């Protein structure tokens, strides 16, 4: 089976295609679709067999729960048993949008969908194609990112085809996604809300709205003895084929260091990949240099991260070196993904001792 790929225009939705895709989901099939964050691999969230199919298609461990996507706010109470005040406030402020909330699960959600947990992750995406598909499918679509487990998440339909073209029924191609990093996940099953995965909506924004919000301890890299609470965050993830290292320090020293590694590699007949920015790309002397975006517009860095990581695959580079991107708003989310892609390999170029 090869997935049918259909181009979609969000401004002029083809109702027949949406109906057909919705029917595939109702019948237990799988359809990939765009969201504002990354492409999702959809199946009927209330059908345990569909969830099992999703795990199989991705090669994902079945203890790693899926997010249930809704397209009408009233549906939230059908999949949860309790909606705390904080969750209501966030839903009102950020839905539809790049926010996922973990809440106690109602019985209609099968354990296959939640990886055996008693809680359920719920998200109301803002993408119109996603919304119409969810409605056509009956209201509840389980959708992890539409990549093979471990690979960078797909930000365009071509990525989905590459990874899952032979494993699913249909791909709705809505072009390149807007944000490029997965939704922020906030856990409401504890007294104080906890961020399990940083995203476009930052910890600071959540604290501004709710007051006290913490970051999951398992995400703070210095403390590797604590496991992240979101099962998916414990795996090496988003990784390109070649070994990736992050080089941290003063910009000039980072560039000097990467240049020396690049020329060393060249002498041995090898090529390195370099993840640079618009501001620095011209300063590298050897290797395959890719600009990820501009530090002046940090959204562009988030937007291109997964695409750049994928683009190095098949390039024959022996290693990849990346600058670090601790940018003011999205830096937390960007570095969370980049560190996972690098398996936390960081090279610190030190200030010279005075
Ligand atoms: O932006 C997104 O959220 C995308 C689009 C398609 O909506 N979806 C996505 O799904 O990123 P996925 O499956 O790739 O990541 C879901 C994450 C995983 O790390 C999973 O472990 C965690 O959410 N998760 C899901 N349900 C959970 C639960 N009940 N408790 C804790 N973590 C949960
Ligand atoms: Mg994923």
């Amino acid at each position: 089976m090869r997935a049918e790929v259909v181009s979609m225009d969000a401004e002029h939705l083809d109702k027949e295609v949406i109906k057909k895709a919705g029917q595939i989901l109702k019948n237990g099939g799988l359809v990939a679709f765009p969201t504002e964050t990354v492409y999702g691999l959809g199946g009927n969230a209330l059908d345990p067999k569909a969830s099992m199919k999703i795990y199989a298609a991705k090669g994902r461990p079945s203890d790693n729960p899926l997010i249930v996507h809704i397209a009408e706010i009233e549906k939230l109470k059908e999949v949860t048993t309790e909606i705390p005040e904080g969750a209501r406030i966030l839903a009102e402020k950020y839905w539809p949008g790049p926010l996922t909330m973990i809440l106690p699960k109602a019985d209609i959600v099968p354990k296959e969908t939640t990886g055996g947990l008693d809680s359920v992750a719920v998200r109301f995406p803002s993408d119109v194609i996603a919304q119409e598909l969810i409605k056509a499918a009956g209201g509840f679509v389980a959708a992890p990112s539409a990549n093979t487990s471990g690979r960078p998440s797909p930000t365009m339909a071509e990525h989905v085809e590459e990874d899952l073209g032979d494993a699913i029924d249909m791909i709705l191609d809505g072009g390149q996604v807007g944000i490029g990093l997965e939704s922020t996940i906030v856990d409401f099953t504890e007294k104080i809300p906890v961020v399990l995965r940083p995203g476009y909506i930052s910890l600071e924004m959540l604290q501004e709205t709710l007051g006290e919000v913490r970051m999951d301890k398992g995400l703070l890299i210095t403390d590797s003895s604590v496991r992240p609470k979101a099962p998916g965050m414990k795996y090496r993830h988003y990784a390109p084929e070649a070994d990736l290292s992050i080089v941290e320090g003063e910009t000039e020293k980072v560039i000097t260091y990467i240049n020396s590694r690049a020329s060393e590699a060249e002498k041995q007949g090898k090529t390195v990949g370099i993840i640079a920015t618009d501001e620095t790309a011209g300063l590298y002397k050897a290797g395959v240099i890719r600009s990820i975006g501009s530090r002046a517009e940090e959204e562009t860095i988030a937007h291109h991260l997964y695409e750049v990581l994928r683009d190095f695959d098949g390039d024959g580079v022996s290693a990849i070196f990346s600058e670090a991107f601790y940018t003011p708003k999205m830096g937390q989310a960007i570095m969370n993904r980049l560190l996972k892609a690098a398996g936390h390999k960081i090279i610190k170029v030190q200030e010279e001792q005075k």
Side-chain angles (χ1 to χ4, degrees):
M1 175 184 70
R2 185 82 199 159
E4 182 186 353
V5 184
V6 188
S7 281
M8 301 290 287
D9 178 353
E11 314 254 296
H12 307 278
L13 276 189
D14 185 332
K15 295 228 167 69
E16 285 308 307
V17 175
I18 292 286
K19 200 167 148 196
K20 182 175 172 188
Q23 202 54 51
I24 293 175
L25 292 176
K26 281 182 170 164
N27 294 340
L30 303 183
V31 176
F33 60 96
T35 82
E36 69 277 25
T37 57
V38 298
Y39 272 77
L41 169 56
N44 178 0
L46 308 185
D47 175 357
K49 285 204 196 97
S51 291
M52 296 311 286
K53 265 198 201 169
I54 291 178
Y55 292 116
K58 278 181 66 87
R60 170 169 176 156
S62 59
D63 66 347
N64 185 4
L66 309 174
I67 296 174
V68 176
H69 292 66
I70 57 173
E72 288 149 292
I73 196 87
E74 307 78 56
K75 297 278 186 195
L76 178 61
K77 59 180 185 299
E78 294 184 38
V79 288
T80 56
T81 55
E82 195 201 326
I83 306 167
E85 181 61 14
R88 274 180 218 285
I89 294 171
L90 288 193
E92 190 153 306
K93 178 145 186 174
Y94 292 113
W95 275 359
L99 172 76
T100 296
M101 295 196 277
I102 312 277
L103 297 160
K105 148 184 132 46
D107 288 341
I108 62 159
V109 185
K111 287 248 172 143
E112 283 78 359
T113 300
T114 64
L117 298 175
D118 293 323
S119 57
V120 61
V122 190
R123 171 158 123 79
F124 182 171
S126 64
D127 187 285
V128 175
I129 300 170
Q131 289 180 356
E132 291 307 312
L133 175 68
I134 295 162
K135 286 189 220 161
F140 304 99
V141 173
S145 50
N147 50 285
T148 302
S149 192
R151 293 207 76 203
S153 298
T155 55
M156 41 183 132
E158 289 77 9
H159 299 162
V160 181
E161 247 190 297
E162 233 170 73
D163 282 14
L164 303 173
D166 288 326
I168 65 177
D169 301 295
M170 195 179 204
I171 299 172
L172 301 182
D173 180 354
Q176 197 152 19
V177 299
I179 295 174
L181 296 180
E182 302 83 349
S183 60
T184 304
I185 303 180
V186 184
D187 181 9
F188 278 99
T189 64
E190 294 183 32
K191 275 211 190 82
I192 298 165
V194 186
V195 174
L196 303 189
R197 180 173 70 184
Y200 179 81
I201 298 170
S202 65
L203 179 66
E204 289 67 30
M205 287 158 80
L206 295 167
Q207 286 168 337
E208 225 162 80
T209 314
L210 294 181
E212 198 176 5
V213 181
R214 351 183 243 105
M215 197 71 160
D216 180 16
K217 283 204 188 73
L219 294 182
L220 307 171
I221 43 155
T222 41
D223 195 352
S224 57
S225 61
V226 186
R227 289 207 144 187
K229 186 164 178 195
M233 299 302 278
K234 70 183 181 230
Y235 303 107
R236 178 159 186 248
H237 214 161
Y238 317 119
E241 285 161 9
D243 208 45
L244 168 68
S245 308
I246 301 166
V247 187
E248 267 183 36
E250 206 181 291
T251 309
E252 259 175 54
K253 294 210 170 72
V254 168
I255 295 169
T256 308
Y257 176 86
I258 296 179
N259 272 333
S260 82
R261 293 293 300 263
S263 69
E264 225 174 80
E266 214 167 50
K267 280 183 210 137
Q268 298 167 7
K270 294 184 192 158
T271 313
V272 301
I274 299 171
I275 302 180
T277 56
D278 292 351
E279 289 83 2
T280 57
L283 304 171
Y284 291 102
K285 308 276 183 244
V288 179
I289 303 150
R290 291 210 160 89
S291 175
I292 191 170
S294 163
R295 283 184 193 273
E297 288 168 83
E298 53 177 308
E299 295 79 11
T300 60
I301 297 178
H303 189 76
H304 291 122
L305 175 63
Y306 290 141
E307 188 185 345
V308 166
L309 291 175
R310 268 182 192 261
D311 283 348
F312 279 115
D313 288 351
D315 253 4
V317 296
S318 57
I320 304 169
F321 296 98
S322 177
E323 295 177 13
F325 308 105
Y326 293 99
T327 56
K329 289 196 230 84
M330 291 194 75
Q332 218 167 40
I334 295 167
M335 288 309 291
N336 168 267
R337 308 309 195 279
L338 191 62
L339 281 159
K340 283 167 74 61
H344 290 280
K345 277 190 300 300
I346 303 175
I347 298 164
K348 290 205 161 99
V349 281
Q350 299 292 346
E351 298 267 329
E352 254 147 59
Q353 300 290 327
K354 287 200 182 122

